Structure formats: structure tokens, C-alpha cells
Amino acid sequence: MTGMTTMIFYRLLIVVATLLVMEVAVTLFHRYVMHGFGWGWHASHHQSGKTPTWEKNDLYAIVFAGATILLFALGDKHAPLWWVAFGITLYGLLYGILHDVLIHRRLPFKWKPRNRYLQRLIKAHYLHHAVKTREDGVSFGFLYAPPLDRIRSRLRRNGPPR
């Protein structure tokens, strides 16, 4: 590999690794912070009814964006951090499109996907919202959803939604 090809390869590797790490980190954050001590902000997202233009849960996006901006700034001196920040931004874009636009329809966009992966992601998220308490949640990931039969089995073990 030439020097330029090697540099591009490593940057791409950093971005892809960041995407994968973000899904794990966000799943854990969603499970243990948003459904834990951070429920005060996240509860607004689990309230029934149409998703409003703004909800208290959106404060998490502002905090995450601020942290990512800081990584971009630090990446000015330490280039790998810039590519980590880019990977986080890409994850946020995918999250916004899948979660806010496709699942919760926060923008007037009427597309029903035929793709089985997207259908499973949507159904898993609806099952996540079927539980109104922070303790009994299921399927905390955003870009990965376990098989639906596993989610339904866990819901049955936890009892009916309260």
C-alpha cells in the first residue's frame, strides 16, 4: 500500500470502528442511563401520543453534539480524534434518519420500508415503547435489534406493560 492508501484505510477503519463502538455504547447508555438516573429527560420520549416537535429527551442530542464538537476541535491537534468525531456524527445521522424520521415520523415523511432489517428495527422499537416503565424495557439498541421473538419472550417474562 502507498502512504496515501494506508492513511485512507486507517481513517476508514477508525470511522467503521467508531460506528460499531457507538452502537454498543449507545445501547448501554440507553439501558443504564436513560432508563436509569437519566429517566427524567428520557421519560418524555415514552409518553403516549404523537411525538412532538420538541421533547425533553432531545436534550441528550444537544449534550452528545456538544461532546462531538469538542472531539472535532481536539482532532485539530490529534487527527484520529477528528475521524472518531466524524464516525460519531455519521452514527448520529443514521440514528436521526432511522429513529426520528422513519420510526417516530417527526418529519412529514411517509415511507414504509420493505426491507426486513428496517421492519425488524421498527417493530423492535415499538416493542421497546410498549413498556412504559424504565425498569421493564427491552431492545435498547438503535441500529441493531435482536430477533423479535426474543424481545417478545422477554416482555412475557417481565409481565404485562404497566
Side-chain angles (χ1 to χ4, degrees):
M1 273 198 258
T2 66
M4 180 62 92
T5 306
T6 303
M7 185 173 58
I8 291 170
F9 173 77
Y10 284 119
R11 288 176 177 173
L12 185 59
L13 186 64
I14 290 170
V15 171
V16 171
T18 300
L19 284 170
L20 295 173
V21 168
M22 279 300 295
E23 179 63 7
V24 172
V26 168
T27 298
L28 293 171
F29 188 87
H30 185 195
R31 170 67 180 101
Y32 295 105
V33 175
M34 295 170 110
H35 281 257
F37 67 86
W39 181 251
W41 284 5
H42 189 59
S44 67
H45 186 63
H46 282 264
Q47 293 169 347
S48 61
K50 185 172 171 14
T51 304
T53 307
W54 171 262
E55 57 189 42
K56 201 171 187 181
N57 183 65
D58 293 329
L59 291 170
Y60 283 115
I62 293 169
V63 170
F64 298 150
T68 305
I69 289 168
L70 179 62
L71 282 176
F72 273 121
L74 293 172
D76 188 42
K77 299 276 190 242
H78 307 284
L81 288 180
W82 193 95
W83 291 100
V84 169
F86 181 77
I88 293 170
T89 301
L90 187 57
Y91 183 90
L93 178 66
L94 291 170
Y95 166 83
I97 292 168
L98 291 172
H99 182 263
D100 288 347
V101 176
L102 186 60
I103 294 172
H104 288 292
R105 309 239 185 248
R106 292 180 78 175
L107 295 177
F109 187 67
K110 309 253 188 226
W111 173 54
K112 290 217 175 208
R114 294 185 182 148
N115 178 284
R116 287 177 31 187
Y117 160 74
L118 292 176
Q119 288 176 345
R120 181 168 113 183
L121 201 64
I122 292 167
K123 288 175 185 172
H125 197 74
Y126 289 156
L127 288 170
H128 174 79
H129 277 268
V131 178
K132 300 299 180 198
T133 66
R134 68 183 188 176
E135 297 87 9
D136 294 335
V138 293
S139 187
F140 294 96
F142 291 111
L143 302 181
Y144 168 77
L148 294 175
D149 56 341
R150 196 178 331 156
I151 297 170
R152 289 184 182 112
S153 173
R154 176 140 186 240
L155 279 170
R156 281 191 295 276
R157 277 195 316 269
N158 290 349
R162 292 176 222 154

